[in-house]
Amino acid sequence: MREKLENIRKEVETLLQQSDVNLEELRIRYLGKKGELTSVLRGMGALSAEERPIVGQLANDVRFFIENAIAVKAEEQKKEQMKMKFMKEKLDVTAPGNAVKVGKRHPLAKVEMEMWDIFLGMGFDIIEGPEVEYDYYNFQALNIPENHPARDTQDTFYITNNILLRSQTSPVQVRAMEKQKPPIRVISPGRVYRSDAVDATHSPMFHQLEGLVVDKGITMGDLKGTLELFAQKMFGPETKIRFRPHHFPFTEPSAEVDVSCFVCGGKGCRVCKGEGWIEILGAGMVHPYVLSNCGIDPEVYSGFAFGMGIERITMCKYGMDDMRLLYENDVRFLNQF
Ligand code: DAH
């Protein structure tokens, strides 16, 4: 029996050398009701009266040994687990952080906001108009009656016969004049639509920025001065502007406006296609019919208006040759701005 007890002790000792031994299983196996030590103790009745206390003492020692060894091992295992946990959770405060990827403004938005700044600086307000517009505002009130050939170049998407996606930001002029009596000094940026097929210079959706000033005594000189200042802020202080006669139904006289090429300064280069000038907008003096359509007396008030394509100006400014780049959202392209 003593031998058996000694063996139990040795077995336990060996088992406890494994670091991941299951202590609960071990406890049940040796100390449990049906455990090995217990069954030895049960057999004690068969011992002689002299041997019994000695074996009893030994059995108690072994029990004590096992209990103690399990407790020590449990403590060890706990420490080991904590250590592993700390290793896993270790936070190296000196490690370089993971940089948060910050987005950037889209080049179109950047250019548009530059335009806002320039015009806000000249005392303009920014207003918005609907993209889904009535035929009346997009065409008729702007002196473009039904069947007028000017509609051909601005074919758009129709919702009904008289509701459409606006083909220009000019209808916002009419909305502004209906709402507000002069003096009026506003710009209105936004999306416009045309039923154009996509290519390097066309898109069925693009952006314009409209400008309108109406007051007593507004002249073409005011228009020129305003656009010159705009061009110089946008493209550099050396920039010159040039007016070419043109026709728009809602302005009289009308002009197309060019800026001197900001790349070559006017000598002729790839960007201006050898011209020395780059066309950037349409402008003119608000047609008297348009003023009266909006309830403003053309005998008392006069005004100027202009409209420019934001894509066009962005492409010129950054030397882009394909408009589609602006809509593809390729970060390799967008990251360059
Ligand atoms: N709305 C014209 C277009 O889309 C541009 C334009 C020309 C706007 C002359 C104006 C203007 O305000 O006066 O082609």
Side-chain angles (χ1 to χ4, degrees), residues 154 167-170 173 194 208 210-211 248 250-251 282-284 305-307:
Q154 300 212 1
S167 62
Q168 47 186 351
T169 43
S170 305
Q173 289 185 33
R194 294 195 191 169
Q208 287 187 336
E210 192 79 12
F248 295 107
F250 38 90
T251 42
F306 56 87

Side-chain angles (χ1 to χ4, degrees), residues 27 80 174 191 203 222 284 288:
R27 193 189 61 76
E80 190 60 26
V174 179
R191 287 193 194 102
S203 159
D222 299 311

Side-chain angles (χ1 to χ4, degrees), residues 111 115 230 234-235 262 280-281 308-318:
V111 168
M115 293 174 175
F230 165 75
M234 196 73 200
F235 300 110
F262 42 86
I280 59 158
L281 55 84
M308 60 184 104
I310 300 179
E311 276 79 356
R312 180 164 173 78
I313 290 187
T314 305
M315 288 169 71
C316 287
K317 202 174 154 92
Y318 293 113

Side-chain angles (χ1 to χ4, degrees), residues 154-293:
Q154 300 212 1
D155 191 19
T156 179
F157 304 94
Y158 283 79
I159 314 272
T160 67
N161 266 346
N162 66 348
I163 299 176
L164 43 77
L165 297 186
R166 66 179 181 188
S167 62
Q168 47 186 351
T169 43
S170 305
V172 191
Q173 289 185 33
V174 179
R175 290 183 172 274
M177 288 189 276
E178 278 183 354
K179 228 189 184 157
Q180 190 186 336
K181 292 298 135 210
I184 296 171
R185 206 186 302 159
V186 292
I187 55 164
S188 187
R191 287 193 194 102
V192 299
Y193 301 84
R194 294 195 191 169
S195 58
D196 284 335
V198 176
D199 66 21
T201 52
H202 291 87
S203 159
M205 185 283 304
F206 58 103
H207 299 76
Q208 287 187 336
L209 184 131
E210 192 79 12
L212 173 72
V213 171
V214 184
D215 202 353
K216 286 181 184 157
I218 298 292
T219 69
M220 200 125 180
D222 299 311
L223 171 62
K224 267 197 124 168
T226 304
L227 292 180
E228 189 170 62
L229 191 58
F230 165 75
Q232 289 173 349
K233 295 245 178 191
M234 196 73 200
F235 300 110
E238 306 300 324
T239 311
K240 292 184 188 55
I241 59 168
R242 173 174 89 170
F243 278 47
R244 277 181 293 106
H246 197 76
H247 171 261
F248 295 107
F250 38 90
T251 42
E252 180 57 36
S254 303
E256 276 188 336
V257 180
D258 303 339
V259 291
S260 57
C261 179
F262 42 86
V263 174
C264 64
K267 286 190 212 77
C269 69
R270 190 183 65 88
V271 173
C272 59
K273 301 195 175 74
E275 294 277 319
W277 296 92
I278 300 170
E279 182 204 322
I280 59 158
L281 55 84
M285 301 307 290
V286 181
H287 197 292
Y289 286 180
V290 176
L291 291 174
S292 5
N293 283 343

